[in-house]
Amino acid sequence: MVTRLILVLGDQLTPSLSALQAAGKGDVVVMAEVGAEASYAPHHPQKIALFFAAMRKFADEIRALGYRVAYTELDDPENTHTIVGEIIRYAAQYGAGAVMCTQAGDHRLRAQLDACPIPVTTLPDTRFICTEPEFAAWAAGKKQLRMEYFYREMRRKTGLLMQGDQPFGGRWNFDAENRKPAAPDMLRPRPPRFAPDAQTAQVIDLVRNRFNHFGSLDSFGWAVTRSDALAALDHFITHALPRFGAEQDAMLAGDPFLSHALISPYLNLGLLLPLEVCQRAEAALHTGAAPIEAVEGFIRQIIGWREYMRGIYLLHGPEYLARNALGATAALPAVYWGGPSKMACMGAAVGQTQAHAYAHHIQRLMVTGNFALLAGVAPDAVHEWYLSVYIDALEWVCAPNVLGMSQFADGGVIASKPYISSGAYINRMSDYCRGCTYDVAAKTGERACPFNSLYWHFLHRHRDRFARNARMGQMYRVWDNMAADHRDQVLRDGDALLAKLAAGEVV
Ligand code: FAD
Ligand code: DLZ
Ligand code: SF4
């Protein structure tokens, strides 16, 4: 029988992966740590360490299941440092004439595999709930796509939180009960930290020596096996899920994690599967361990937002990455890479990102994302930053979140209006402003919170695009009713802030 190579990528660490299920006797599984994947963006060192450590553990796990595995370590002298290079090398070594793999998540890698001189057969990635053709069929002919309706389809498809054909509890969405502002009693027991074993410690040393990227390795405590990822999930369901909904938008300077699950890297690497995660959350509802608003909110993030983002990314193809609907061109301010800042919220969000490769959704959307959008930063630079610094960042999920949801660069495919706010929102949802050099209540002047003037400056400079948006008309009416000299001062302050940022001055 002709030997085939079964390529397993770093985010395909699932024993039930379609390519592994289709492998036959004699086939060789190829896994490779390569420079090209570790540096197509300047990934946070914790992210590289997580991928390599989890890949090594997974290779051991499937060897124990009986697979033949050819594994390339990063510092293997024969390493060609690209995925296709490693396919060619192992094909020669094993006399293989064909490759099979589960379809890669990113357009980037799909294109490379399409151009591989050895034919690559791809199988669908069945770990997702919605298939690529199913999403395309759902989207076809619709003028406007909305996540909420897609989510209902996924509820029907999975049977999650359903009673017959009706939503459990009589409603599809319990968001009205969620989103409480920050309060000191939201501090929760820290999420579990998995002390690196000798093999993972070796990977951490390798990454420390080889990659000089933004981010610290010191706090590395991510699960690198499925069993530890399941323990992390159990910890979340027991200790944090009951409070998840109410606290999901809150931000506290003293707690980077609050009631968040910290499972996105495990889902994205394939250590956990979306359906099993949701089923465990649903079980907590039925045993009375968590309320409906928490469980529904959590399940919506996974079978709703996560699947929807993937669907949009695949539907729009690689051209989506170049979108820049608002024509933003500014450079990313140095604060994003750890430079000094007088803004307490930016300092906190970037600081915890550097320390843990993690920030939760509202920090990403309403602090760092909001600031980049108001400052007119080029969306590809914003995307590169998010793709680099977060532990869970893969292009298929990062690009629609950054370019679509956060930066409105897709012109409204994902968000019906831009996610922008003045300092008042951040003040309401966090305790950051108390420790800030700026005054969140001041609208103009040197000490005024930068979000305040930049918010109105953004609305003013994009008036033609947004004034007729039904969800934004009220804000334009508020602006138009302000005294003309106040508006002029706000715009002058906004100009001055943008000029300072352009000159690389600390804001
Ligand atoms: P929780 O808040 O506990 O949520 C539970 C799960 O829901 C997450 O683990 C995640 O799998 C899923 N989820 C929630 N919201 C989203 C969403 N918008 N898109 C996809 N999945 C979602 N998520 C990534 O996985 N990778 C990224 O690169 C990424 N980049 C983002 C960039 C921006 C600008 C924004 C606003 C959001 C981004 N997200 C990304 C979505 C979200 O912020 C993270 O999934 C979440 O913070 C992960 O932490 P958690 O596991 O504690 O999540
Ligand atoms: C993110 C990542 C990193 C850092 N390194 C590797 C690697 O060395 N080898 C590998 O197979 N995968 C890695 N990955 C995950 C890939 O980037 C991911 O599979 C693609 O982006 C999905 O298309
Ligand atoms: Fe951020 Fe403004 Fe609050 Fe300072 S005052 S923490 S800049 S929102």
Side-chain angles (χ1 to χ4, degrees), residues 236 244 248 257 259-265 267-268 298 300-302 305-307 309 358-366 368-369 382 386-387 390-399 401-403 405-407:
F236 164 71
F244 173 81
Q248 68 179 303
F257 310 117
S259 290
H260 291 273
L262 276 84
I263 57 161
S264 49
L267 284 166
N268 296 353
F298 178 71
R300 178 165 15 98
Q301 306 307 312
I302 294 176
W305 279 113
R306 184 171 184 270
E307 297 281 331
M309 290 305 193
Y358 179 81
H360 69 67
H361 189 71
I362 292 302
Q363 294 170 312
R364 298 187 204 196
L365 188 63
M366 298 311 293
T368 45
V382 184
Y386 281 96
L387 189 60
Y390 288 113
I391 194 78
D392 52 25
L394 289 166
E395 190 182 279
W396 66 264
V397 55
C398 195
N401 268 298
V402 176
L403 301 173
M405 182 182 273
S406 166
Q407 300 299 298

Side-chain angles (χ1 to χ4, degrees), residues 158-416:
T158 57
L160 286 162
L161 299 180
M162 296 296 292
Q163 277 175 321
D165 60 356
Q166 292 304 308
F168 184 89
R171 271 155 60 191
W172 292 103
N173 183 314
F174 285 78
D175 236 10
E177 279 84 345
N178 290 335
R179 292 152 193 253
K180 291 211 174 97
D185 71 350
M186 285 180 179
L187 288 168
R188 68 149 168 143
R190 275 181 88 88
R193 185 176 175 278
F194 300 90
D197 68 3
Q199 189 185 36
T200 299
Q202 205 179 10
V203 169
I204 292 174
D205 281 347
L206 171 78
V207 173
R208 202 187 298 280
N209 294 332
R210 289 288 297 273
F211 300 95
N212 189 21
H213 299 167
F214 166 87
S216 165
L217 276 163
D218 294 346
S219 73
F220 188 97
W222 298 99
V224 298
T225 61
R226 172 168 165 78
S227 59
D228 281 350
L230 279 169
L233 174 63
D234 282 347
H235 184 278
F236 164 71
I237 296 213
T238 311
H239 297 287
L241 177 63
R243 302 152 61 138
F244 173 81
E247 300 180 5
Q248 68 179 303
D249 287 7
M251 299 173 279
L252 281 181
D255 187 343
F257 310 117
L258 291 162
S259 290
H260 291 273
L262 276 84
I263 57 161
S264 49
Y266 311 138
L267 284 166
N268 296 353
L269 269 76
L271 300 177
L272 298 178
L273 294 173
L275 191 58
E276 69 178 348
V277 165
C278 294
Q279 284 166 342
R280 283 179 184 233
E282 187 179 33
L285 171 72
H286 295 314
T287 60
I292 178 71
E293 62 272 19
V295 174
E296 187 283 314
F298 178 71
I299 287 178
R300 178 165 15 98
Q301 306 307 312
I302 294 176
I303 67 168
W305 279 113
R306 184 171 184 270
E307 297 281 331
Y308 184 72
M309 290 305 193
R310 176 171 181 264
I312 296 280
Y313 171 81
L314 293 174
L315 189 69
H316 287 272
E319 65 83 23
Y320 189 85
L321 301 169
R323 297 269 187 112
N324 187 359
L326 301 183
T329 54
L332 193 72
V335 56
Y336 284 83
W337 297 111
S341 172
K342 292 189 279 181
M343 301 168 72
C345 53
M346 287 293 288
V350 173
Q352 72 168 71
T353 299
Q354 181 162 26
H356 304 294
Y358 179 81
H360 69 67
H361 189 71
I362 292 302
Q363 294 170 312
R364 298 187 204 196
L365 188 63
M366 298 311 293
V367 179
T368 45
N370 187 10
F371 190 60
L373 180 54
L374 296 183
V377 178
D380 57 350
V382 184
H383 179 222
E384 197 209 16
W385 182 76
Y386 281 96
L387 189 60
S388 307
V389 301
Y390 288 113
I391 194 78
D392 52 25
L394 289 166
E395 190 182 279
W396 66 264
V397 55
C398 195
N401 268 298
V402 176
L403 301 173
M405 182 182 273
S406 166
Q407 300 299 298
F408 207 80
D410 66 6
V413 173
I414 286 178
S416 54

